[in-house]
Amino acid sequence: MKLTTPVAVCIWPEPAPNRPHVGAYPHYLLEVLDHAGLCYRRVEPDALVDALPTAGVLVTVGEAEMDVPTHEALTNWVRGGGAWLAIGGTGGAPDLLGVELAEPGFNMFGGRGRSVPLGEGYLAAADASHRVLAPMARPLHYFNGSALTATTGRVLASILDAHQRPLPHAGVVEHEPGDGCTLVIAPDVAGTIVRIQQGVAITRDGIGPSDGSAPVCDGVLKSDDGGVLDWSFDRQPLPGVDGCTAFLEPIADQWRELVLRGILHLAHRRGVAVPMLWYWPDNADAIAHLSHDTDGNHPDRGRALLDLVNELGIRSTWCVIEPGYDRSFIDELRQAGHELAMHYDAVSEGKRWSQAQFNEQWAFLRALFGVERITTNKNHYLRWEGDTDLFQWCAAAGIELDQSKGPSKTGVAGFNFGSCHAWFPLDPAGRPIDVLELATQTQDLEVFAPRQLGDALVDAAARHHGVLHVLFHPFHMEKAEVRDALRHVAATVRQRGLPWWTAARINRWERARRRLGFTRFEQSAGRASVSLRAGEALPGATLLWMLPGPGADDGQPVQRWGFPGQAVTIDLDTGTDRDIDASWSMPARAAT
């Protein structure tokens, strides 16, 4: 078997308007794979027949009505030993996946299409020992998908409704048609990730939970008024603090990882090596980030915080609110290696939510900082109105990273927008916006939330290989317990071996790694080779070879998403090409 594509990705056309849609924003799956650094090739539906013979794993998104030649080619390829992951639908070949499409039990207007939509609900592991589902300790919230019933396939996960009551649908099904292997994930993964990360448009106050811990209905519109996660099912008790619950699991990231585990599982089964550019340089597990909102601009408290972070060896991001500190202190922050960022104010008296007001404050801060460009913004009080207006304002001003998604109340703390990674948003029409969102996870520990929350967030960010983002205001530096809480977080981060980065550095790295291209892939007879081209310098870039058997090369052994691999760390200069090889030993087909 000679392969030239480790993973081929085909996105089926969406249904016509006024027909049931089982998914939203299917192309966002490409964003998921790009962020994961996966080596893959996009294949259009009309080119699928020609692409299959040299593809290792096929990934499809959505439902389809395949023509006869495509259906026959896919059937022969899978039964002949191919590996297929179908997401949010069966791609028009349910028999190959061991499922059938659900049908409505009665005639209804607008109810018939290529599939019945799942609506909102939860994915619950039926086989928690399976490595695709092993980390899913709790049911996973989803939004829409394709209602499927298992026939000859093995159900790995079932479907619960929005109140976590069992439904007669299959959530994840594994099948072995002929010599091949398939996996179908019924929920709409791409649309679910977008909905959790971005929430819904904000035109009025949200409603908090019944325990009173998150009174978001406070007369101020802010990002957490648009959250879509469930107060009862998606929060967890904070260990060591009776009665305190928080969003302790990044649910959108779990959906991302489910896709990666599905791909790696099938690749392992078929004996395919999958190259990936790891999230962080030098094979780091995760990154820590500290930001400060300078509300009030009190010089003594700003000085106390600067002395503390310098003592701890942390370079942090200072989100400065108008009118800011005096110029000498601003210069001292810069000289110490800290980032100067914007803190857009649409809360204080005379301040408004408008692009004109945003631009006025942006221009003032640029002059104060003495710079042409500001990289990062975070809104005062995490203010937010509308849908993606703020992202559009940032993009127009050249601000490349925002931090305004996050918790304004204790009971919303944690990953209330589902991710500890930096992600690109979509506008309502599905077009990408060139601004990274790095959501805030908590504010000042021992004021906003118990110190134990910091431990839980560090642990989650490390497990999901993302960014710990904690916010400490200079205003609270008069409190010894807040200073001690920051020291405690710093010690915990140091113990886990995570480096501290500013938001600007996270932004530079994420954008640079997106410019790396996989220009060639070849695999045959237990050997694989890939060619890389760096569009921008990537010192310490780590290439993962996710191998189907024990590696025979000198790479560092790693476990990622429950699968073995090798890590090769190299320095890549702008425009350079590198060839990296891997070899391994294994039987023709690995065990599950």
Short mmCIF file of all heavy atoms in Angstrom, two decimals, residues 380-423:
data_model
loop_
_atom_site.label_atom_id
_atom_site.label_comp_id
_atom_site.label_asym_id
_atom_site.label_seq_id
_atom_site.Cartn_x
_atom_site.Cartn_y
_atom_site.Cartn_z
N HIS A 380 -13.62 45.94 29.12
CA HIS A 380 -13.90 46.21 30.53
C HIS A 380 -15.22 45.54 30.91
O HIS A 380 -16.23 45.68 30.22
CB HIS A 380 -13.97 47.72 30.73
CG HIS A 380 -14.17 48.15 32.14
ND1 HIS A 380 -13.57 47.53 33.21
CD2 HIS A 380 -14.90 49.18 32.67
CE1 HIS A 380 -13.90 48.14 34.32
NE2 HIS A 380 -14.73 49.14 34.04
N TYR A 381 -15.19 44.79 32.03
CA TYR A 381 -16.35 44.03 32.52
C TYR A 381 -16.80 42.96 31.50
O TYR A 381 -17.91 42.46 31.57
CB TYR A 381 -17.51 44.98 32.86
CG TYR A 381 -18.56 44.36 33.77
CD1 TYR A 381 -18.21 43.83 35.00
CD2 TYR A 381 -19.89 44.31 33.37
CE1 TYR A 381 -19.17 43.27 35.82
CE2 TYR A 381 -20.85 43.74 34.19
CZ TYR A 381 -20.48 43.22 35.42
OH TYR A 381 -21.44 42.65 36.24
N LEU A 382 -15.90 42.64 30.56
CA LEU A 382 -16.23 41.67 29.51
C LEU A 382 -17.51 42.08 28.76
O LEU A 382 -18.32 41.24 28.37
CB LEU A 382 -16.36 40.25 30.08
CG LEU A 382 -15.13 39.74 30.83
CD1 LEU A 382 -15.39 38.36 31.42
CD2 LEU A 382 -13.90 39.72 29.94
N ARG A 383 -17.66 43.40 28.56
CA ARG A 383 -18.82 43.93 27.85
C ARG A 383 -18.94 43.33 26.46
O ARG A 383 -17.95 43.07 25.79
CB ARG A 383 -18.72 45.45 27.74
CG ARG A 383 -19.21 46.18 28.95
CD ARG A 383 -20.74 46.32 28.96
NE ARG A 383 -21.19 47.42 28.11
CZ ARG A 383 -22.03 47.28 27.08
NH1 ARG A 383 -22.50 46.11 26.75
NH2 ARG A 383 -22.40 48.34 26.38
N TRP A 384 -20.19 43.12 26.03
CA TRP A 384 -20.43 42.56 24.70
C TRP A 384 -21.87 42.87 24.30
O TRP A 384 -22.79 42.74 25.11
CB TRP A 384 -20.22 41.04 24.71
CG TRP A 384 -20.00 40.46 23.35
CD1 TRP A 384 -20.92 40.22 22.37
CD2 TRP A 384 -18.74 40.02 22.81
NE1 TRP A 384 -20.34 39.68 21.27
CE2 TRP A 384 -18.99 39.54 21.50
CE3 TRP A 384 -17.45 39.99 23.29
CZ2 TRP A 384 -17.99 39.03 20.68
CZ3 TRP A 384 -16.44 39.48 22.49
CH2 TRP A 384 -16.71 39.01 21.21
N GLU A 385 -22.05 43.27 23.07
CA GLU A 385 -23.39 43.42 22.49
C GLU A 385 -23.38 42.86 21.08
O GLU A 385 -22.34 42.86 20.40
CB GLU A 385 -23.82 44.89 22.46
CG GLU A 385 -24.10 45.49 23.83
CD GLU A 385 -24.64 46.91 23.73
OE1 GLU A 385 -25.38 47.20 22.77
OE2 GLU A 385 -24.31 47.72 24.62
N GLY A 386 -24.54 42.42 20.62
CA GLY A 386 -24.65 41.90 19.27
C GLY A 386 -23.97 40.55 19.13
O GLY A 386 -23.82 39.80 20.10
N ASP A 387 -23.54 40.26 17.91
CA ASP A 387 -22.97 38.94 17.62
C ASP A 387 -21.46 39.02 17.49
O ASP A 387 -20.72 38.82 18.45
CB ASP A 387 -23.63 38.38 16.36
CG ASP A 387 -23.39 36.90 16.18
OD1 ASP A 387 -22.50 36.35 16.85
OD2 ASP A 387 -24.09 36.27 15.37
N THR A 388 -20.99 39.37 16.30
CA THR A 388 -19.54 39.40 16.08
C THR A 388 -19.03 40.82 15.84
O THR A 388 -17.95 41.01 15.29
CB THR A 388 -19.16 38.50 14.88
OG1 THR A 388 -19.89 38.95 13.71
CG2 THR A 388 -19.51 37.06 15.15
N ASP A 389 -19.79 41.83 16.27
CA ASP A 389 -19.40 43.22 16.06
C ASP A 389 -18.00 43.51 16.61
O ASP A 389 -17.17 44.12 15.93
CB ASP A 389 -20.39 44.17 16.73
CG ASP A 389 -21.84 43.90 16.36
OD1 ASP A 389 -22.25 42.73 16.39
OD2 ASP A 389 -22.56 44.86 16.05
N LEU A 390 -17.75 43.06 17.83
CA LEU A 390 -16.47 43.35 18.47
C LEU A 390 -15.32 42.74 17.69
O LEU A 390 -14.26 43.37 17.50
CB LEU A 390 -16.50 42.85 19.91
CG LEU A 390 -15.34 43.17 20.88
CD1 LEU A 390 -14.17 42.23 20.73
CD2 LEU A 390 -14.88 44.61 20.77
N PHE A 391 -15.50 41.52 17.21
CA PHE A 391 -14.45 40.89 16.40
C PHE A 391 -14.17 41.71 15.15
O PHE A 391 -13.02 41.89 14.75
CB PHE A 391 -14.86 39.47 16.01
CG PHE A 391 -14.86 38.48 17.13
CD1 PHE A 391 -15.93 37.60 17.30
CD2 PHE A 391 -13.80 38.39 18.02
CE1 PHE A 391 -15.94 36.67 18.32
CE2 PHE A 391 -13.80 37.47 19.05
CZ PHE A 391 -14.87 36.61 19.21
N GLN A 392 -15.22 42.21 14.52
CA GLN A 392 -15.04 43.00 13.30
C GLN A 392 -14.31 44.31 13.61
O GLN A 392 -13.46 44.76 12.83
CB GLN A 392 -16.40 43.31 12.67
CG GLN A 392 -17.25 42.09 12.33
CD GLN A 392 -16.76 41.34 11.09
OE1 GLN A 392 -15.69 41.63 10.58
NE2 GLN A 392 -17.55 40.39 10.62
N TRP A 393 -14.63 44.95 14.74
CA TRP A 393 -13.93 46.18 15.12
C TRP A 393 -12.44 45.91 15.35
O TRP A 393 -11.59 46.69 14.94
CB TRP A 393 -14.53 46.78 16.38
CG TRP A 393 -15.99 47.11 16.30
CD1 TRP A 393 -16.76 47.17 15.16
CD2 TRP A 393 -16.84 47.44 17.39
NE1 TRP A 393 -18.04 47.50 15.49
CE2 TRP A 393 -18.13 47.69 16.86
CE3 TRP A 393 -16.65 47.57 18.76
CZ2 TRP A 393 -19.22 48.03 17.65
CZ3 TRP A 393 -17.73 47.91 19.56
CH2 TRP A 393 -19.01 48.15 19.00
N CYS A 394 -12.15 44.81 16.04
CA CYS A 394 -10.75 44.46 16.29
C CYS A 394 -10.01 44.24 14.98
O CYS A 394 -8.89 44.74 14.78
CB CYS A 394 -10.67 43.20 17.16
SG CYS A 394 -11.10 43.44 18.90
N ALA A 395 -10.61 43.47 14.08
CA ALA A 395 -9.96 43.18 12.80
C ALA A 395 -9.69 44.46 12.03
O ALA A 395 -8.60 44.64 11.45
CB ALA A 395 -10.83 42.23 11.98
N ALA A 396 -10.64 45.39 12.02
CA ALA A 396 -10.47 46.64 11.28
C ALA A 396 -9.35 47.49 11.88
O ALA A 396 -8.68 48.24 11.16
CB ALA A 396 -11.78 47.42 11.27
N ALA A 397 -9.13 47.37 13.20
CA ALA A 397 -8.09 48.15 13.87
C ALA A 397 -6.74 47.45 13.87
O ALA A 397 -5.76 48.01 14.39
CB ALA A 397 -8.52 48.45 15.31
N GLY A 398 -6.67 46.24 13.34
CA GLY A 398 -5.41 45.50 13.34
C GLY A 398 -5.12 44.79 14.65
O GLY A 398 -4.01 44.29 14.86
N ILE A 399 -6.10 44.72 15.55
CA ILE A 399 -5.96 43.94 16.78
C ILE A 399 -6.19 42.48 16.43
O ILE A 399 -7.22 42.12 15.86
CB ILE A 399 -6.95 44.42 17.85
CG1 ILE A 399 -6.53 45.81 18.35
CG2 ILE A 399 -7.04 43.44 19.01
CD1 ILE A 399 -7.52 46.46 19.29
N GLU A 400 -5.24 41.62 16.76
CA GLU A 400 -5.25 40.24 16.27
C GLU A 400 -5.72 39.23 17.30
O GLU A 400 -5.95 38.06 16.95
CB GLU A 400 -3.86 39.86 15.77
CG GLU A 400 -3.43 40.67 14.54
CD GLU A 400 -2.12 40.20 13.96
OE1 GLU A 400 -1.34 39.53 14.69
OE2 GLU A 400 -1.86 40.48 12.77
N LEU A 401 -5.87 39.63 18.56
CA LEU A 401 -6.31 38.69 19.60
C LEU A 401 -7.20 39.42 20.60
O LEU A 401 -6.88 40.53 21.02
CB LEU A 401 -5.11 38.06 20.30
CG LEU A 401 -5.40 36.96 21.32
CD1 LEU A 401 -4.31 35.88 21.29
CD2 LEU A 401 -5.54 37.50 22.73
N ASP A 402 -8.32 38.79 20.95
CA ASP A 402 -9.24 39.35 21.93
C ASP A 402 -9.38 38.39 23.10
O ASP A 402 -9.19 37.18 22.96
CB ASP A 402 -10.62 39.59 21.29
CG ASP A 402 -11.62 40.10 22.32
OD1 ASP A 402 -11.49 41.27 22.72
OD2 ASP A 402 -12.50 39.32 22.74
N GLN A 403 -9.76 38.95 24.29
CA GLN A 403 -9.91 38.14 25.50
C GLN A 403 -11.24 38.41 26.20
O GLN A 403 -11.38 38.18 27.40
CB GLN A 403 -8.77 38.44 26.46
CG GLN A 403 -7.39 38.22 25.90
CD GLN A 403 -6.29 38.46 26.91
OE1 GLN A 403 -6.46 39.18 27.89
NE2 GLN A 403 -5.13 37.85 26.69
N SER A 404 -12.26 38.88 25.45
CA SER A 404 -13.48 39.37 26.09
C SER A 404 -14.55 38.32 26.33
O SER A 404 -15.59 38.62 26.90
CB SER A 404 -14.09 40.51 25.25
OG SER A 404 -13.16 41.55 25.06
N LYS A 405 -14.33 37.09 25.88
CA LYS A 405 -15.22 35.99 26.23
C LYS A 405 -14.77 35.45 27.58
O LYS A 405 -13.59 35.11 27.76
CB LYS A 405 -15.17 34.88 25.18
CG LYS A 405 -15.65 35.28 23.80
CD LYS A 405 -17.16 35.34 23.72
CE LYS A 405 -17.64 35.52 22.29
NZ LYS A 405 -19.11 35.59 22.20
N GLY A 406 -15.71 35.35 28.52
CA GLY A 406 -15.30 34.85 29.82
C GLY A 406 -16.35 35.09 30.88
O GLY A 406 -17.47 35.53 30.59
N PRO A 407 -16.00 34.84 32.15
CA PRO A 407 -16.97 34.92 33.25
C PRO A 407 -16.95 36.27 33.96
O PRO A 407 -15.91 36.77 34.36
CB PRO A 407 -16.48 33.81 34.20
CG PRO A 407 -15.00 33.79 34.00
CD PRO A 407 -14.74 34.20 32.58
N SER A 408 -18.15 36.84 34.13
CA SER A 408 -18.27 38.08 34.90
C SER A 408 -18.74 37.82 36.33
O SER A 408 -18.71 38.72 37.16
CB SER A 408 -19.25 39.04 34.22
OG SER A 408 -20.58 38.54 34.30
N LYS A 409 -19.19 36.59 36.61
CA LYS A 409 -19.69 36.22 37.94
C LYS A 409 -19.03 34.91 38.36
O LYS A 409 -18.65 34.08 37.54
CB LYS A 409 -21.21 36.05 37.90
CG LYS A 409 -21.97 37.28 37.41
CD LYS A 409 -21.89 38.44 38.39
CE LYS A 409 -22.79 39.60 37.99
NZ LYS A 409 -22.34 40.29 36.76
N THR A 410 -18.97 34.69 39.65
CA THR A 410 -18.27 33.51 40.18
C THR A 410 -18.82 32.21 39.60
O THR A 410 -18.05 31.33 39.20
CB THR A 410 -18.39 33.48 41.71
OG1 THR A 410 -17.79 34.67 42.24
CG2 THR A 410 -17.69 32.25 42.29
N GLY A 411 -20.12 32.07 39.52
CA GLY A 411 -20.72 30.82 39.05
C GLY A 411 -20.53 30.55 37.58
O GLY A 411 -20.93 29.48 37.08
N VAL A 412 -19.94 31.49 36.85
CA VAL A 412 -19.67 31.29 35.42
C VAL A 412 -18.20 30.94 35.19
O VAL A 412 -17.78 30.72 34.06
CB VAL A 412 -20.04 32.55 34.60
CG1 VAL A 412 -20.22 32.21 33.13
CG2 VAL A 412 -21.30 33.20 35.11
N ALA A 413 -17.42 30.89 36.24
CA ALA A 413 -15.98 30.74 36.11
C ALA A 413 -15.60 29.44 35.41
O ALA A 413 -16.33 28.45 35.44
CB ALA A 413 -15.33 30.79 37.49
N GLY A 414 -14.44 29.49 34.80
CA GLY A 414 -13.93 28.32 34.09
C GLY A 414 -14.07 28.49 32.60
O GLY A 414 -13.96 29.58 32.05
N PHE A 415 -14.37 27.37 31.94
CA PHE A 415 -14.41 27.35 30.48
C PHE A 415 -15.86 27.52 30.01
O PHE A 415 -16.45 26.62 29.40
CB PHE A 415 -13.82 26.04 29.97
CG PHE A 415 -12.45 25.74 30.53
CD1 PHE A 415 -12.28 24.80 31.54
CD2 PHE A 415 -11.34 26.43 30.07
CE1 PHE A 415 -11.02 24.53 32.06
CE2 PHE A 415 -10.07 26.18 30.60
CZ PHE A 415 -9.92 25.23 31.60
N ASN A 416 -16.43 28.68 30.30
CA ASN A 416 -17.85 28.87 29.96
C ASN A 416 -18.06 29.03 28.46
O ASN A 416 -19.19 28.94 27.99
CB ASN A 416 -18.44 30.06 30.72
CG ASN A 416 -17.77 31.38 30.41
OD1 ASN A 416 -16.55 31.44 30.32
ND2 ASN A 416 -18.55 32.43 30.28
N PHE A 417 -16.97 29.24 27.71
CA PHE A 417 -17.06 29.21 26.26
C PHE A 417 -16.32 28.00 25.68
O PHE A 417 -16.00 27.97 24.50
CB PHE A 417 -16.57 30.52 25.65
CG PHE A 417 -17.54 31.65 25.88
CD1 PHE A 417 -17.35 32.54 26.92
CD2 PHE A 417 -18.66 31.79 25.09
CE1 PHE A 417 -18.26 33.56 27.16
CE2 PHE A 417 -19.58 32.81 25.32
CZ PHE A 417 -19.37 33.70 26.35
N GLY A 418 -16.08 27.01 26.53
CA GLY A 418 -15.74 25.68 26.07
C GLY A 418 -14.33 25.42 25.60
O GLY A 418 -14.04 24.31 25.17
N SER A 419 -13.43 26.40 25.69
CA SER A 419 -12.10 26.15 25.12
C SER A 419 -11.01 26.81 25.93
O SER A 419 -11.17 27.93 26.44
CB SER A 419 -12.03 26.67 23.68
OG SER A 419 -10.78 26.36 23.09
N CYS A 420 -9.87 26.13 26.02
CA CYS A 420 -8.66 26.73 26.59
C CYS A 420 -7.63 26.99 25.49
O CYS A 420 -6.47 27.27 25.78
CB CYS A 420 -8.07 25.85 27.69
SG CYS A 420 -7.59 24.19 27.17
N HIS A 421 -8.07 26.90 24.23
CA HIS A 421 -7.20 27.20 23.10
C HIS A 421 -7.59 28.53 22.49
O HIS A 421 -8.71 29.03 22.70
CB HIS A 421 -7.31 26.10 22.03
CG HIS A 421 -6.64 24.82 22.43
ND1 HIS A 421 -5.43 24.41 21.91
CD2 HIS A 421 -7.01 23.85 23.30
CE1 HIS A 421 -5.08 23.26 22.44
NE2 HIS A 421 -6.03 22.89 23.29
N ALA A 422 -6.70 29.12 21.71
CA ALA A 422 -7.03 30.31 20.93
C ALA A 422 -7.71 29.86 19.64
O ALA A 422 -7.20 28.97 18.95
CB ALA A 422 -5.77 31.10 20.61
N TRP A 423 -8.86 30.46 19.32
CA TRP A 423 -9.63 30.01 18.16
C TRP A 423 -10.09 31.20 17.33
O TRP A 423 -10.22 32.32 17.81
CB TRP A 423 -10.84 29.18 18.60
CG TRP A 423 -11.66 29.75 19.71
CD1 TRP A 423 -11.51 29.50 21.05
CD2 TRP A 423 -12.75 30.68 19.61
NE1 TRP A 423 -12.45 30.20 21.78
CE2 TRP A 423 -13.22 30.94 20.93
CE3 TRP A 423 -13.39 31.31 18.54
CZ2 TRP A 423 -14.29 31.81 21.19
CZ3 TRP A 423 -14.45 32.18 18.80
CH2 TRP A 423 -14.89 32.41 20.10
#
